[in-house]
Amino acid sequence: MTGNPSRLIRRAAEVEADAHVPVAIVGGGACGLTAALMLADAGVECVVLERDALPSGSTALSSGFIPAPGTRTQRAHGVQDDSAECFAADIQAKAHGRAAPALVEAYADSIGPALDVLQERHGLQWMLLDGFLYPGHSVHRMHALPQKTGASLMAALQSAVEAAGIPVLTQALVDTLVLDAENRVVGIDYTRPDGSRETLACDALLLACNGFGGNAQMVRTLLPEMAEATFGGHTGNDGSAILWGESLGARLRDLGGYQGHGSWVTPQGALMSWAVMMEGGVQINCEGRRFHDETEGYSEAAVHVLAQPGGIAWNVFDAPLLALARGFPDFCDAEAAGALRRCESVEALADCIGCEPAVLQGTLDAMRNSTRPDGRAFTRGLDAPYFAVKVTGALFHTQGGLDTAPDMRVLRHDGTPFANLLAAGGAAGGVSGDAVWGYLSGNGLLSAVAGGYIAAHTAAALIHSTKASP
């Protein structure tokens, strides 16, 4: 995308609509589907509108890992020393204290109950990833479905939504929000594949649609360091929520925040799990040198990788780490596509990378020292045979967006909330601060699932209070 899509505001006291629904949800990713399930549990009707033929979004392209404290799953694995307060502290530590405090508290408090409800009421059977710690997490709190993919998470949410009888209107491109003179949402206009136009009236609206990573113009303006990076996210991330917000006078927040990834397998185009780096793997450039501390995080690693010659690095590891990598379906897909190189010696590895063997040998030898100048301590060196995967830095999804109150209502410039306009997930500002290094592993799905959970409770309360009014 080279420009901004047409996202409009239409004013009307009421709408002549094809249908009416208490809550309309724009976006059928993890955020929108979680919100829909929570609304169904509360007895509130909703409709999910999704631009694609099959709901997927950024969630389906992710690893599907969600951090959460105090869940049934976590306790069943013997993790007793975690809490919402501990999780919030980890979020703020990674963001250097620049994440929105009220949202950090709201998400940290809500994500555990959200995962438990999805398990108990809607059949999502979580497992705890307890074999390693992702960067910045002080305890094991990363949850996943057994398949360990974002696609399986989306499939499970879709199955739950179908079982609950929640309508999901696909191939419905929402381009216009309809508000009255008091800035209350009264409906939305959308386009169908045949070009026809339809209107849906609603009593509350949740924007659960997208960030702006797929909008090249906005990326160049707001994230110049990622202007030439591969975009590994969903093309539907076109900045719609921000464009609507700007037209409405909504406040925006943390537009410099995003999730990069320093392990985007090229040219195959897949995410390689950062667990391999955390457990002893290294990134080496085409000169045969390490160039950063990999344990700082995979998001900021994207910038480090892109700064190398050609914007390329090699993930280098050995047989025990290969066994770990093969536990992740995305890696298995990349391996099947020919991404994995096996090298029986340092000389063969140097030939693969295209560097001088002596330089590479020095890099590998330095790993056997207990402490490195960059602060990383290795418990062991790497042993032949060596394995290598060629990677680049990628932009995965943005973390800035509409500013919201802790109940997910969108805020105006003066800090007051719109009465019935909510935003969560990629549409809203997250809890990663305003820079790439503020992203704590899992923050994207944290804001999607916790945000959807909170927004649904807010919308349900709004609908119930409206019904109770004389």
Side-chain angles (χ1 to χ4, degrees), residues 301-345:
V303 179
H304 295 307
V305 171
L306 289 170
Q308 302 312 301
I312 292 296
W314 292 84
N315 289 353
V316 176
F317 46 101
D318 59 7
L321 294 171
L322 175 61
L324 172 65
R326 284 174 170 165
F328 295 89
D330 288 343
F331 178 86
C332 294
D333 291 343
E335 181 180 1
L340 184 68
R341 317 286 182 89
R342 178 185 173 114
C343 304
E344 300 296 336
S345 65

Side-chain angles (χ1 to χ4, degrees), residues 283-291 308-309 312-314 353 355:
Q283 290 201 307
I284 293 175
N285 64 18
C286 66
E287 298 171 348
R289 307 179 193 280
R290 282 186 65 230
F291 51 90
Q308 302 312 301
I312 292 296
W314 292 84
I353 294 173
C355 65

Side-chain angles (χ1 to χ4, degrees), residues 240-404:
S240 296
I242 289 174
L243 297 173
W244 280 317
E246 288 179 330
S247 297
L248 287 171
R251 193 162 71 189
L252 304 176
R253 181 169 52 78
D254 292 341
L255 296 183
Y258 63 95
Q259 184 211 328
H261 208 293
S263 193
W264 184 258
V265 180
T266 184
Q268 288 78 10
L271 287 178
M272 178 175 166
S273 173
W274 204 249
V276 175
M277 297 298 107
M278 295 299 294
E279 292 300 298
V282 294
Q283 290 201 307
I284 293 175
N285 64 18
C286 66
E287 298 171 348
R289 307 179 193 280
R290 282 186 65 230
F291 51 90
H292 72 117
D293 178 358
E294 299 88 346
T295 62
E296 289 295 315
Y298 55 74
S299 184
E300 54 266 56
V303 179
H304 295 307
V305 171
L306 289 170
Q308 302 312 301
I312 292 296
W314 292 84
N315 289 353
V316 176
F317 46 101
D318 59 7
L321 294 171
L322 175 61
L324 172 65
R326 284 174 170 165
F328 295 89
D330 288 343
F331 178 86
C332 294
D333 291 343
E335 181 180 1
L340 184 68
R341 317 286 182 89
R342 178 185 173 114
C343 304
E344 300 296 336
S345 65
V346 171
E347 289 74 17
L349 180 60
D351 184 61
C352 173
I353 294 173
C355 65
E356 291 294 328
V359 174
L360 179 60
Q361 184 70 65
T363 297
L364 297 176
D365 287 346
M367 291 175 59
R368 299 185 184 277
N369 298 331
S370 60
T371 305
R372 296 283 299 121
D374 60 18
R376 181 177 182 182
F378 289 93
T379 57
R380 66 178 183 85
L382 299 178
D383 297 311
Y386 304 102
F387 297 91
V389 173
K390 188 179 182 180
V391 298
T392 187
L395 170 62
F396 195 64
H397 59 78
T398 54
Q399 285 282 287
L402 298 172
D403 199 4
T404 64

Side-chain angles (χ1 to χ4, degrees), residues 206-245:
L206 169 60
L207 298 178
C209 41
N210 53 41
F212 62 87
N215 186 322
Q217 178 177 310
M218 294 179 74
V219 170
R220 281 194 300 270
T221 301
L222 299 170
L223 307 174
E225 70 272 27
M226 287 284 116
E228 304 302 323
T230 298
F231 178 53
H234 189 268
T235 54
N237 284 262
D238 60 14
S240 296
I242 289 174
L243 297 173
W244 280 317

